[in-house]
Amino acid sequence: MLVYSPEEEEVFFDQIDQVYTLTESQNLEEAEQLLLEINESIPHPKENCSVGGILLDSIFSFYEQTGQVEKALPHFLKETEYLQEKMKTETVKSSGHFITTGSIYYALGDLDKARVYFKIAHSLGKNSIFHDFNADFLHMAVTSDVEFEEFKQNFVPADNSQQEELTDEQQDLMEEYCDQGNLEMDAENFDKAAEWFQKALDVLPAPKEDWEAAGWVSASCGDAYFNAGKYKEALEHLLVAHDIYVSEEEVNPFVLLRLGETYFELEDHKNATANLLAAYEMEGADLFEDDQKYLKYLKTQQKL
C-alpha cells in the first residue's frame, strides 16, 4: 500500500484544486491535461494508493461535469478488472468503483452492462451502499431477469441536470480542506485557515448558496477572516452564511455574534447592535465569554 505523507497529500489536493479552478474558468483542456498527469503519477491499481480512490472520483467528476462521461470509463474499467481478479482470492470491500462504472454505462444507455456492475456492487455491500445513488441502480441490481427486460422497455433516464448531492470526491475534498482549516485555526494561523476554508467553498458547484454545506463553511471562513482582522472579507462570508441559515428557517447565534462583532469593528454601530442583541437574546451572556468588549458595548446600547 502506497501511503502518501501529509506533505505529499497536500501537494495532491493542491493539484486537484487546480483542476477544479481551471474547470470553473472553462480552461478544460488544461484541466484535463493536469488531471491526466496526476493520474500518471499514481501507479495502477489505484486501490493500492491512499489517494487513489479520490483520484478516480475526481476523474469521474471532471468528465461528468464536462459532459464527457464516456472518457472516464477506461479508467474505471481498468480498476474494476483488477478488483474482479482480486475477488477470486481475496475479500474486496471497494464497491464504490463498481457503482460508478455502472453509472457510466447507465448514462450511456447501456443498461445490460450497467446491471453487471450494479450486481457486483450489491454482492459486496448489499442494499445499503446504494443509499445515496439513483434508485434505478439498486432496482437493476436486485430485479429478476424478466422484470429487468420490462424495465428496459419502459426506461426513461432520470434527469440528472441538477446535482442533488456532492460526489464522494467532492465530499472528501471538502472534509480535507476544512480539517486543514481547523488545524490552522487551532494554531492561530488565521489567514492560512481562511485560505483552506475558501478552497472548501470552491469545491461546491454553482450556485454555491444552494448547498447546505455552504452555510457552515462560509461561517468558518468568516470567522477566520474576523480573527485575522480582515473585517470586510469576514462580513462578506458571514452575510452569506446568515442568508443561508435564514433561508433554511434556522438562525445561527454564532453567526449573529460574529456579524455583530464585525459590524462593530467596521464602525457600523446600528447593525452591530442589532446582531449582537439578536445573538444575546438567543444564547445569553455565555456566548460573549471569549471577548467581553462586545457585551460591554451592547450594554451601553440596550438594557439587558
Side-chain angles (χ1 to χ4, degrees):
M1 180 73 170
L2 176 60
V3 179
Y4 272 30
S5 67
E7 294 76 18
E8 290 172 324
E9 279 193 358
E10 183 172 351
V11 171
F12 169 79
F13 282 111
D14 280 345
Q15 290 178 316
I16 294 297
D17 187 50
Q18 289 177 43
V19 173
Y20 268 104
T21 301
L22 290 167
T23 303
E24 288 182 353
S25 61
Q26 295 300 306
N27 294 320
L28 301 184
E29 290 187 8
E30 190 175 349
E32 182 179 26
Q33 181 180 352
L34 176 57
L35 187 60
L36 295 178
E37 288 175 0
I38 301 170
N39 179 61
E40 287 296 320
S41 71
I42 298 177
H44 174 75
K46 306 305 183 190
E47 185 187 67
N48 291 344
C49 177
S50 58
V51 297
I54 296 175
L55 171 63
L56 282 172
D57 286 338
S58 298
I59 290 172
F60 174 72
S61 179
F62 171 77
Y63 285 125
E64 182 183 43
Q65 186 175 348
T66 57
Q68 307 173 87
V69 70
E70 69 282 355
K71 296 180 75 171
L73 186 58
H75 299 278
F76 281 87
L77 287 177
K78 188 175 183 180
E79 191 71 11
T80 52
E81 285 172 5
Y82 162 78
L83 291 172
Q84 288 180 81
E85 190 64 29
K86 182 179 178 180
M87 288 168 59
K88 296 177 181 178
T89 57
E90 301 178 47
T91 300
V92 169
K93 298 180 180 180
S94 305
S95 57
H97 298 325
F98 290 105
I99 295 180
T100 303
T101 305
S103 72
I104 296 172
Y105 278 122
Y106 178 91
L108 296 175
D110 193 335
L111 301 185
D112 290 296
K113 289 183 179 178
R115 188 188 187 211
V116 170
Y117 289 93
F118 294 149
K119 287 172 74 70
I120 295 173
H122 187 263
S123 71
L124 294 172
K126 305 303 178 186
N127 293 5
S128 60
I129 64 169
F130 289 87
H131 176 71
D132 294 327
F133 294 93
N134 186 324
D136 282 350
F137 297 176
L138 176 59
H139 177 72
M140 292 168 66
V142 301
T143 192
S144 68
D145 292 344
V146 173
E147 291 173 329
F148 179 61
E149 290 302 319
E150 183 179 346
F151 171 82
K152 287 196 296 182
Q153 292 175 10
N154 300 309
F155 175 68
V156 177
D159 181 8
N160 294 322
S161 59
Q162 182 65 37
Q163 184 180 350
E164 296 181 354
E165 295 186 11
L166 297 178
T167 65
D168 289 343
E169 183 270 339
Q170 288 169 328
Q171 189 64 49
D172 287 340
L173 283 178
M174 286 278 295
E175 292 176 0
E176 172 68 19
Y177 293 157
C178 287
D179 285 346
Q180 292 293 334
N182 289 328
L183 288 173
E184 297 294 352
M185 287 292 288
D186 291 341
E188 299 187 357
N189 298 324
F190 301 120
D191 281 316
K192 188 64 176 178
E195 291 178 13
W196 282 112
F197 290 129
Q198 185 62 63
K199 281 187 174 185
L201 286 172
D202 291 341
V203 171
L204 295 174
K208 299 185 186 299
E209 294 78 8
D210 288 352
W211 296 93
E212 180 181 356
W216 61 267
V217 181
S218 293
S220 298
C221 199
D223 184 34
Y225 278 125
F226 175 82
N227 281 284
K230 296 183 176 180
Y231 302 118
K232 290 183 179 180
E233 292 88 342
L235 181 62
E236 177 183 349
H237 288 281
L238 290 168
L239 285 173
V240 169
H242 179 61
D243 289 345
I244 291 172
Y245 283 119
V246 169
S247 69
E248 295 174 351
E249 299 182 356
E250 178 184 349
V251 180
N252 187 302
F254 175 76
V255 173
L256 288 173
L257 174 68
R258 277 290 183 263
L259 269 175
E261 293 170 340
T262 302
Y263 277 124
F264 177 86
E265 298 298 340
L266 291 172
E267 300 184 354
D268 183 342
H269 293 141
K270 180 180 178 181
N271 279 315
T273 301
N275 284 279
L276 290 172
L277 179 60
Y280 179 87
E281 289 175 342
M282 291 186 70
E283 296 289 331
D286 290 346
L287 189 62
F288 294 75
E289 63 181 356
D290 289 339
D291 195 333
Q292 294 290 311
K293 175 177 72 173
Y294 304 104
L295 181 59
K296 291 177 181 178
Y297 162 75
L298 185 58
K299 288 179 177 179
T300 68
Q301 305 298 308
Q302 295 286 328
K303 184 177 180 179
L304 302 180

